[in-house]
Amino acid sequence: MIVFLRFSHLYRNMLKKILKSAGIILLDVFVLAIIVISPVAKYVIEKNDIDWLGREVIVNNCFVNPLTGTIWLSGLKVFEQNSTSVFFDANYVSANLELGKLVSGTYEFSSMTIYTPTARIIRYRDSVNFTDIIEKFTPDPLDKTPRENIRFNLLDFTIKNGKFHYEEDLMPVSFFAKDINISSPGLRWDNDTVALNYSFTSENDSGTVIGKTDINRKNLNYLFKLKIDNYSLEIVNQYLHDLTNEGVFKAQLNADIKTSGNFQNVDSVKASGVLAMHEIHFGKKNEEDFAFIKELKFSAQLLNPFEQIFNFDSITIQKPYLKYELYDELDNIQVLFGKGGANVAAATANPKKVNLVIEIVRLVEKLARNVLRSDYKLDCLAMTDGNLEFVDYSIDGIFKAAAIPFNLRADSIYNQRKLVKLEINSGIMPNGRMNINVSLDPKDSSYFDMNYQFQNIPITMFNPYVVNYTSFRFDSGKIKADGNWKVRNGNIDSENHLVIVNPGLTKRAKEKQSSWIPMPFLVSLAKEKGNKIDYQIPISGSLNDPDFNIMSILSNILKNVLLKPVRVIPIKKGKKG
């Protein structure tokens, strides 16, 4: 018995030693496996990068834990196809592979995080610099070979502090975003919807973008919620190089919008929310602005091109400034865009280049046409505290005029209304006044009625033109004018009443050697009782005539007033010119 007990004790001790040794060996094997598998994994990645991705891939360090499924990469670099330039890099990539689910044929990463990645996107004429990757993973539609249905889950996906650089090869355009943060609950093989939350800032910290997106991978339906705060739009200047001669644009974008639709159908978009641009500046480099808007704001309840529904709450323009200058041959617009818009025409004629500004203009034009043909509604259209300036350098002397403050308002603009009322009022510098009321057909811009009144406008402000035509100038007098226009199918039928009160002339400008008219004699003939000149001036024409413009009307009125006394003597009140 004693011998048996001693043998049993000895056996147990030996068993313990064997198990302990086996445990140590197994632990050493696992440690060795961990140590060995990491460089092996690095070797496999870099050995098969061309076969798997079609590009060279470099990893500085790799760590794989076969017990937990943890994967960790540092210094990851993916190069451009057949190039030494880096397409994508990241400081660290960490992921966790659920090993237990491999048995059931499911490849699931329970988490994946990419730290401080940088991506560089280049757009060519017909492709981008990752088209080859897309093509490599796109199934051949002619290949009918049965494929295994792979179950793949990527959960808890995160990108932290990324950077994104976009370039265009055909024109010097670049866009840079930083502080990119993206998070997603992930992608499941049995769920078609992918949700993303993201945010980023501009290169120079001038604005932030925060958004949420849901995309259905199967039918390509999408939902975007986007909030933009004070984002600089100076990127537009890169597209202006081909359109303008040193044109400069500045603005800040703010938006809070919601959009849904389908990527395969552009017209399926449904949008609502608020979009506003602040501090909009446009002009020539190192010179004053040609145009400025304090705020341009659009607020919409529903925009749906497919169902032709355009339901706007309001479109408002605060403190707009517009300056139009006329020179001997061109004007300030043609100086900027080329004679007759030559720069724009040249940029548009080049099919190799896609200019963002031109595409936006085309989109707005298309949208405007669709709006006029649709079931549209605009509760309020308003322009407040405007400053519209006109300067004419094409004559001897300089003519200046300005409408300050210019205000425009229209309420309840519906396509189903027969007529919509538009009210315009403004001061006329230095101390005149203007009021215009328009009733127009919202379905037909060539059908409208208009009445206007101009009051207390000093005739002396027109002296540059008067001297140019007559060699004399006024030293006193006030202008009043009113009229009624009826426009049907673009054809104008109007009566206009012009009154000049207490006109007074100075002596002839002796330095003026041409265009002499005996103005003192003619003004004395034109005057009626009360020391005033009174005319009825009919104006007719067609808005559809390419040669029709408001400047030709004003020029004809001026010539009519100044030269009519030569042709008609005596002048009686109420006669038409």
Side-chain angles (χ1 to χ4, degrees):
M1 181 61 115
I2 294 173
V3 174
F4 176 76
L5 291 175
R6 288 181 177 179
F7 179 77
S8 298
H9 178 72
L10 180 61
Y11 176 78
R12 285 196 299 270
N13 289 338
M14 291 178 61
L15 183 61
K16 287 181 180 179
K17 290 180 180 180
I18 292 173
L19 292 176
K20 184 177 180 180
S21 299
I24 293 173
I25 293 172
L26 289 175
L27 180 61
D28 290 341
V29 170
F30 279 117
V31 172
L32 181 63
I34 292 174
I35 295 174
V36 173
I37 198 172
S38 295
V40 170
K42 178 179 183 300
Y43 171 80
V44 170
I45 292 173
E46 295 181 347
K47 178 67 174 179
N48 298 279
D49 50 4
I50 302 297
D51 293 334
W52 292 348
L53 192 63
R55 298 184 177 210
E56 184 178 356
V57 177
I58 291 179
V59 179
N60 286 347
N61 292 294
C62 176
F63 173 78
V64 178
N65 189 333
L67 296 178
T68 62
T70 300
I71 303 171
W72 180 81
L73 306 175
S74 70
L76 173 65
K77 286 184 173 63
V78 180
F79 291 86
E80 298 281 359
Q81 187 180 31
N82 302 320
S83 173
T84 57
S85 299
V86 177
F87 163 68
F88 174 87
D89 68 81
N91 286 350
Y92 303 100
V93 177
S94 65
N96 189 62
L97 178 63
E98 293 295 327
L99 300 176
K101 294 190 177 183
L102 292 176
V103 179
S104 63
T106 300
Y107 299 86
E108 178 176 301
F109 287 93
S110 59
S111 65
M112 179 178 288
T113 303
I114 304 176
Y115 299 89
T116 58
T118 300
R120 181 168 173 256
I121 307 300
I122 304 175
R123 183 184 179 277
Y124 305 106
R125 178 180 178 182
D126 300 316
S127 63
V128 290
N129 61 332
F130 56 90
T131 300
D132 59 298
I133 298 178
I134 296 175
E135 292 175 347
K136 188 172 186 62
F137 290 95
T138 300
D140 186 352
L142 300 178
D143 186 0
K144 304 300 182 180
T145 304
R147 297 180 181 276
E148 180 184 358
N149 186 18
I150 299 177
R151 297 180 178 182
F152 178 79
N153 296 333
L154 175 59
L155 310 180
D156 192 16
F157 177 76
T158 305
I159 292 177
K160 294 185 177 181
N161 299 323
K163 297 179 181 179
F164 173 81
H165 192 193
Y166 171 82
E167 300 176 7
E168 292 193 11
D169 182 62
L170 295 176
M171 57 194 312
V173 173
S174 64
F175 170 77
F176 188 85
K178 64 179 183 177
D179 300 329
I180 301 174
N181 292 285
I182 301 174
S183 63
S184 172
L187 167 70
R188 292 183 179 272
W189 70 272
D190 56 351
N191 189 340
D192 294 329
T193 301
V194 179
L196 295 173
N197 295 286
Y198 50 89
S199 65
F200 62 88
T201 62
S202 66
E203 179 179 11
N204 54 2
D205 295 317
S206 57
T208 60
V209 176
I210 300 175
K212 179 180 180 181
T213 300
D214 293 335
I215 300 175
N216 188 300
R217 297 179 294 118
K218 188 174 183 179
N219 58 25
L220 296 181
N221 287 337
Y222 64 82
L223 172 65
F224 286 95
K225 293 181 180 179
L226 198 63
K227 185 175 178 60
I228 304 174
D229 291 321
N230 297 321
Y231 202 92
S232 173
L233 295 179
E234 292 190 15
I235 184 178
V236 173
N237 286 311
Q238 300 177 86
Y239 294 95
L240 289 177
H241 290 162
D242 286 350
L243 301 178
T244 66
N245 301 317
E246 298 182 340
V248 175
F249 177 85
K250 296 180 181 179
Q252 291 180 326
L253 179 65
N254 290 268
D256 189 354
I257 57 179
K258 178 181 178 181
T259 305
S260 63
N262 186 278
F263 285 114
Q264 295 179 318
N265 185 358
V266 177
D267 292 332
S268 68
V269 61
K270 294 181 180 179
S272 62
V274 178
L275 186 147
M277 289 190 289
H278 299 269
E279 300 294 330
I280 305 172
H281 297 261
F282 181 68
K284 195 170 182 180
K285 187 176 181 180
N286 299 325
E287 296 182 11
E288 63 184 74
D289 293 328
F290 290 162
F292 168 80
I293 298 177
K294 183 69 175 178
E295 180 187 73
L296 173 60
K297 184 176 181 180
F298 299 87
S299 178
Q301 293 182 12
L302 176 62
L303 304 180
N304 185 356
F306 181 74
E307 298 181 6
Q308 293 190 332
I309 297 175
F310 296 88
N311 191 345
F312 291 92
D313 288 323
S314 61
I315 299 177
T316 57
I317 306 173
Q318 294 184 13
K319 294 186 176 180
Y321 168 76
L322 178 63
K323 186 175 185 179
Y324 179 70
E325 296 178 338
L326 188 61
Y327 312 126
D328 289 340
E329 295 183 0
L330 304 176
D331 53 41
N332 58 343
I333 306 300
Q334 295 184 85
V335 168
L336 195 60
F337 290 97
K339 186 175 181 180
N343 293 357
V344 178
T348 305
N350 189 345
K352 296 182 179 180
K353 294 184 178 181
V354 178
N355 191 295
L356 179 63
V357 174
I358 293 176
E359 295 305 314
I360 290 176
V361 171
R362 288 172 174 171
L363 179 62
V364 171
E365 289 178 345
K366 180 181 178 181
L367 180 63
R369 289 193 299 268
N370 289 339
V371 168
L372 293 176
R373 293 193 297 260
S374 69
D375 181 17
Y376 71 87
K377 175 184 177 183
L378 174 57
D379 289 335
C380 177
L381 172 65
M383 181 186 295
T384 57
D385 296 327
N387 180 357
L388 310 182
E389 293 187 8
F390 171 71
V391 184
D392 190 350
Y393 295 100
S394 65
I395 58 176
D396 292 341
I398 301 175
F399 173 77
K400 294 183 179 180
I404 308 175
F406 184 89
N407 297 286
L408 178 152
R409 187 176 182 88
D411 295 317
S412 300
I413 304 175
Y414 308 150
N415 72 320
Q416 297 178 356
R417 296 190 65 177
K418 185 175 181 180
L419 293 175
V420 173
K421 293 185 178 181
L422 179 67
E423 297 179 357
I424 301 173
N425 61 80
S426 176
I428 304 294
M429 297 301 291
N431 55 11
R433 192 71 193 169
M434 170 184 71
N435 292 283
I436 302 175
N437 294 286
V438 181
S439 295
L440 55 87
D441 185 344
K443 299 179 182 179
D444 185 0
S445 60
S446 66
Y447 183 105
F448 64 88
D449 295 329
M450 178 180 69
N451 65 78
Y452 67 88
Q453 300 87 35
F454 291 87
Q455 299 176 344
N456 205 36
I457 299 176
I459 195 173
T460 52
M461 69 182 292
F462 296 99
N463 273 335
Y465 292 114
V466 176
V467 173
N468 190 68
Y469 285 118
T470 72
S471 298
F472 288 88
R473 59 170 49 90
F474 287 96
D475 62 358
S476 64
K478 298 288 184 180
I479 297 175
K480 296 190 300 181
D482 59 80
N484 291 283
W485 286 37
K486 287 186 177 181
V487 179
R488 302 292 183 269
N489 297 321
N491 295 313
I492 304 170
D493 181 16
S494 70
E495 294 292 337
N496 305 272
H497 185 201
L498 175 67
V499 178
I500 304 175
V501 180
N502 297 323
L505 287 167
T506 63
K507 293 182 179 180
R508 179 187 175 188
K510 294 183 179 179
E511 70 277 5
K512 186 72 177 176
Q513 300 299 322
S514 61
S515 301
W516 176 82
I517 295 177
M519 283 295 292
F521 173 69
L522 297 178
V523 169
S524 66
L525 291 178
K527 285 182 182 179
E528 301 182 359
K529 291 182 179 180
N531 193 25
K532 65 179 181 179
I533 299 174
D534 193 330
Y535 280 104
Q536 296 286 344
I537 306 174
I539 295 176
S540 60
S542 174
L543 297 175
N544 299 320
D545 186 347
D547 296 328
F548 179 88
N549 61 79
I550 192 65
M551 293 305 301
S552 65
I553 290 179
L554 297 177
S555 177
N556 288 336
I557 291 175
L558 183 61
K559 292 179 180 179
N560 196 19
V561 171
L562 297 177
L563 304 180
K564 181 178 178 180
V566 177
R567 302 190 305 267
V568 183
I569 301 176
I571 299 173
K572 294 183 180 180
K573 180 179 179 180
K575 290 285 185 180
K576 294 184 179 181

